[in-house]
Amino acid sequence: MKNSTFLNPSRRTFLTGAAGASLIALHPFTVNAAAGQVHLRIMETTDLHVHVFPYDYYADKPRDTVGLSRTASHIRAIRAEAANSMLIDNGDFLQGNPMGDYIAYERGMKEGDMHPVIAAMNTLGFDASTLGNHEFNYGLDFLMKSLAGANFPVVSANVVKEMGAGPRDDVTLLKPYVILDRTIVDGAGAEHSLKVGLIGFVPPQIMTWDRRHLEGKVGTRDIVETARAWVPEMKEAGCDIIVALSHSGIGSANHTDGMENASVPLAEVDGIDALMTGHSHLVFPSATYEDFEGIDVEAGTIHGKPAVMGGFWGSHLGVIDLMLENEGGEWRVVSTASETRPISKRNEDRSTTALVEDQPDVLDAVQADHDATLEYIRRAVGKTSAPLHSYFALVADDPSVQIVSIAQLWYISEMMKGTEHEGLPILSAAAPFKAGGRGGPEYFTDVPKGDVAIKNVADLYLYPNTVRAVRINGAQLKGWLERSAGMFNQITPGEADQVLLNPSFPSYNFDVMDGVTYEIDLSQPSRFAPKGELVDETATRIINLMFEGQPVTDDMEFIVATNNYRAGGGGHFPGTGDTVIFEGPDTNRDVIVRYIVDQGTINPTADANWHFAPMPGTTVLFDTGPAATGYVDGVEGVEIEAAGDGPDGFARFRISL
Ligand code: MN
Ligand code: MG
């Protein structure tokens, strides 16, 4: 349905109570618009990441918090509320769930093929879109073939095929901007024409994140520099209003060249009237941004201009309302509002409830690819030459942690190329997420040797973390491992059957460090309490810490591949919080999928790079899943035997130190 369907000159009478009228809740701007005043609603989806069905393909089950098929209900409700509306997507639509991977890695995009997310967007009649950084993940050829199916223009001003002396001399990959000529209806029912200019921006960091696809083919420019150049041209070309499609977060108010999250300084550019933002997967307006310079959360503005960020994966629809007034043939913005509409709510018991229904035609547009994706996630995409299980992840180097470590290392090694950090040793930190405990005796990773399916990757990496690298010294590395070693109770030498694991220490804080070798001396007290408070800075459990066979000294330097939780200070590990040198846009889960697809057969065999220090005549007990029994013989670097039943369905094992 297009705007003109809602051209309804008798609307005012109708609102004051015409009999039989349907009760549509009209926005106050629409209700109050007078002759020569126009209410325009601009809707935003952002960071859809191929989420059309409300479905979690990793877990292989429905999920209420995602899906354009649901956001679509808000879109259609708003079209019914407003006399004039537009629908914009703000980028990151092509990649980010197994349906995206299925199309890229399995089905492929041939000339004339339709990408499912584009099919869904066509169904909803998007007016325009811009590119996000993830549009480049599968290469330019894949991108251009996907965009060819779009019934709407896609703009991007700062991705450049041939760099000119200034942005306006560039040959850009896509049109930098588009001017949409729209017929709009004012408060008295009279039609006017309005030229809406839309210009798009992406973080220049795509040149690092997707170097292998982009180097030598395109370059990028700073977002603000690009806007300052093009916006005046759009004005000269007759734009009545200009909307920036900023696939960039709301961050610092200070413009620095090449900044990733540039929406605040972008809002200062003269001529821009409103901003669609994204990339951060957050919601604006929201309390998240209360203390940000230049932001008015109440008004929903950045530097006085309306802005919105509609969450991610279809979680919210963003809406900017503009009240426009015509004065002497010129349109100006007289008032604005900004809001987001969620598709689900979280209940007190952490369950979710859908707030809107699916739009069946959106589901229909993607049904065949959805079915093919289900088949894809359940089928082998690679092989593992060893079983991937976590039954012994807390007592020995372990294949389920090793594979995460290897994939992170593979990815970060690529990202460090050509940077000032190239050549430094790269280590990788990973912890077991599914390791029994309160999760119960079945709560372990257990993928047998042989075929690996996409849905197994969710089992290997439980959280939607993103990849990070930190740069630390040898002293911080030792501290990091001391923090991890708080997993264990202090053990008295010479005594039998002592309880090994500290139950108040969560397994996700037991980081194993690959790329160095070390031993854990359980006879010593822990340096840190379970939540990370320093207890005794002289306490030392980590001994014989070596890099390439040489002792690690305090001043050595290392890069550590990890995730956003740890790098940001989660668990209070020494060497984290302010040492980040690389923020990857990719989830650790995506990195593991890419690694498996790239390698075909993976070899997750643990390399036993850490073990407990020997303590003759001492034994400890620990509980794990009963299915562990079948894997005891394969555990390296530790002497383990069955020791009967543990409580609550767990099996007990004895380790001779
Ligand atoms: Mn995104
Ligand atoms: Mg290892």
Side-chain angles (χ1 to χ4, degrees):
M1 289 183 286
K2 283 288 171 194
N3 310 338
S4 52
T5 318
F6 290 95
L7 197 163
N8 182 357
S10 62
R11 189 173 67 252
R12 290 166 160 267
T13 346
F14 155 99
L15 277 171
T16 50
S22 60
L23 293 170
I24 300 168
L26 292 176
H27 189 276
F29 284 9
T30 288
V31 176
N32 297 327
Q37 286 189 328
V38 166
H39 175 209
L40 175 61
R41 309 203 82 170
I42 310 177
M43 298 179 271
E44 180 209 50
T45 57
T46 188
D47 297 273
L48 289 172
H49 290 282
V50 211
H51 289 82
V52 179
F53 270 68
Y55 203 82
D56 180 342
Y57 296 100
Y58 282 115
D60 200 0
K61 60 184 184 202
R63 190 166 160 190
D64 282 333
T65 54
V66 307
L68 180 62
S69 65
R70 301 265 168 98
T71 334
S73 288
H74 284 317
I75 292 168
R76 285 177 171 156
I78 280 178
R79 283 176 174 161
E81 285 171 21
N84 310 289
S85 68
M86 297 180 73
L87 176 60
I88 306 290
D89 182 78
N90 216 39
D92 275 7
F93 45 83
L94 271 190
Q95 180 278 347
N97 76 0
M99 183 149 76
D101 283 347
Y102 160 69
I103 300 295
Y105 299 144
E106 281 280 311
R107 200 201 74 181
M109 282 295 297
K110 294 183 297 298
E111 209 77 51
D113 282 352
M114 179 60 79
H115 193 285
V117 79
I118 301 287
M121 291 164 84
N122 284 344
T123 303
L124 282 167
F126 275 76
D127 289 279
S129 174
T130 191
L131 301 178
N133 49 298
H134 284 284
E135 264 63 79
F136 300 93
N137 288 164
Y138 302 129
L140 287 174
D141 182 63
F142 183 90
L143 170 60
M144 298 314 278
K145 285 183 176 137
S146 301
L147 295 184
N151 289 345
F152 47 87
V154 182
V155 294
S156 183
N158 67 327
V159 181
V160 173
K161 281 200 292 192
E162 282 175 46
M163 202 69 80
R168 282 166 72 163
D169 308 310
D170 291 344
V171 179
T172 49
L173 178 69
L174 304 177
K175 280 184 239 175
Y177 64 87
V178 69
I179 301 174
L180 302 179
D181 224 323
R182 288 291 136 101
T183 301
I184 48 170
V185 182
D186 74 14
E191 291 190 8
H192 304 267
S193 105
L194 186 77
K195 284 189 160 64
V196 183
L198 305 167
I199 179 166
F201 307 98
V202 73
Q205 283 73 9
I206 59 170
M207 295 309 299
T208 301
W209 298 334
D210 276 303
R211 185 198 323 274
R212 71 204 169 103
H213 290 307
L214 302 182
E215 203 163 46
K217 294 174 182 153
V218 293
T220 51
R221 277 193 189 271
D222 176 65
I223 291 173
V224 175
E225 172 205 4
T226 307
R228 283 186 189 137
W230 286 111
V231 169
E233 179 175 304
M234 297 168 74
K235 275 284 168 206
E236 287 157 28
C239 285
D240 295 304
I241 62 164
I242 293 177
V243 182
L245 315 189
S246 172
H247 186 87
S248 178
I250 296 169
S252 170
N254 299 317
H255 175 233
T256 49
D257 187 43
M259 71 196 290
E260 176 183 349
N261 293 306
S263 294
V264 180
L266 179 63
E268 279 191 300
V269 173
D270 264 353
I272 292 176
D273 296 294
L275 294 94
M276 306 289 154
T277 72
H279 183 58
S280 315
H281 292 201
L282 293 170
V283 170
F284 184 83
S286 75
T288 308
Y289 293 104
E290 240 149 35
D291 298 325
F292 281 54
E293 199 186 330
I295 306 289
D296 184 337
V297 168
E298 284 296 303
T301 57
I302 308 177
H303 288 303
K305 295 174 183 175
V308 79
M309 192 190 299
F312 63 107
W313 301 358
S315 68
H316 297 71
L317 182 72
V319 188
I320 288 179
D321 288 289
L322 300 176
M323 184 72 119
L324 305 170
E325 203 169 82
N326 196 303
E327 255 186 26
E330 299 232 330
W331 290 99
R332 60 187 189 94
V333 179
V334 289
S335 48
T336 73
S338 172
E339 64 165 309
T340 59
R341 295 189 181 189
I343 64 166
S344 66
K345 68 174 170 114
R346 196 162 292 278
N347 305 312
E348 263 173 37
D349 63 358
R350 299 174 75 188
S351 65
T352 52
T353 303
L355 297 172
V356 279
E357 294 184 344
D358 289 309
Q359 293 290 309
D361 57 338
V362 178
L363 295 179
D364 286 348
V366 178
Q367 186 71 52
D369 288 314
H370 172 72
D371 294 341
T373 302
L374 292 179
E375 197 266 329
Y376 172 69
I377 59 163
R378 294 166 184 168
R379 146 166 69 90
V381 291
K383 287 194 181 304
T384 174
S385 61
L388 287 160
H389 65 82
S390 64
Y391 294 112
F392 299 103
L394 300 176
V395 300
D397 198 25
D398 165 275
S400 73
V401 175
Q402 188 77 31
I403 188 64
V404 172
S405 218
I406 292 172
Q408 287 178 174
L409 198 65
W410 171 78
Y411 177 89
I412 291 296
S413 302
E414 185 64 30
M415 294 298 151
M416 289 301 109
K417 284 182 189 162
T419 72
E420 57 181 303
H421 313 290
E422 187 172 6
L424 283 177
I426 304 175
L427 314 179
S428 189
F433 293 149
K434 290 179 79 175
R438 285 185 207 131
E442 271 84 47
Y443 193 64
F444 290 89
T445 301
D446 190 349
V447 180
K449 177 178 167 174
D451 293 340
V452 179
I454 299 288
K455 58 182 291 188
N456 297 141
V457 174
D459 220 27
L460 288 170
Y461 207 97
L462 209 55
Y463 304 107
N465 291 334
T466 49
V467 188
R468 295 283 185 275
V470 297
R471 181 170 171 162
I472 63 172
N473 62 31
Q476 290 169 316
L477 174 63
K478 286 176 192 168
W480 190 313
L481 291 172
E482 291 291 351
R483 171 75 180 94
S484 259
M487 182 78 235
F488 309 106
N489 293 322
Q490 188 175 0
I491 300 302
T492 309
E495 285 187 11
D497 291 354
Q498 303 168 69
V499 176
L500 177 63
L501 302 177
N502 181 342
S504 57
F505 192 104
S507 72
Y508 60 76
N509 275 338
F510 181 61
D511 267 1
V512 166
M513 193 69 72
D514 253 303
V516 284
T517 57
Y518 55 98
E519 294 175 46
I520 300 175
D521 181 356
L522 297 172
S523 71
Q524 299 303 308
S526 176
R527 187 177 293 183
F528 296 95
K531 289 206 161 65
E533 306 93 332
L534 185 64
V535 177
D536 175 1
E537 61 183 333
T538 64
T540 300
R541 285 180 162 182
I542 302 300
I543 58 173
N544 295 326
L545 176 60
M546 313 278 244
F547 173 69
E548 292 183 340
Q550 298 297 317
V552 170
T553 56
D554 285 355
D555 59 348
M556 279 181 171
E557 285 207 286
F558 300 93
I559 302 297
V560 180
T562 178
N563 60 50
N564 60 308
Y565 170 75
R566 180 72 72 240
H572 304 290
F573 279 58
T576 66
D578 56 359
T579 52
V580 176
I581 50 118
F582 175 82
E583 299 195 10
D586 299 301
T587 62
N588 298 62
R589 215 145 61 178
D590 279 342
V591 167
I592 296 166
V593 172
R594 276 189 217 175
Y595 179 75
I596 294 171
V597 171
D598 185 81
Q599 303 285 306
T601 295
I602 55 169
N603 178 7
T605 312
D607 57 4
N609 66 305
W610 70 273
H611 57 84
F612 297 128
M615 215 187 293
T618 314
T619 58
V620 293
L621 299 174
F622 81 102
D623 297 332
T624 186
T629 309
Y631 295 116
V632 176
D633 291 345
V635 186
E636 297 285 336
V638 62
E639 201 184 315
I640 300 182
E641 60 178 352
D645 294 335
D648 307 322
F650 280 91
R652 183 152 285 180
F653 288 84
R654 178 179 293 110
I655 294 175
S656 302
L657 293 170

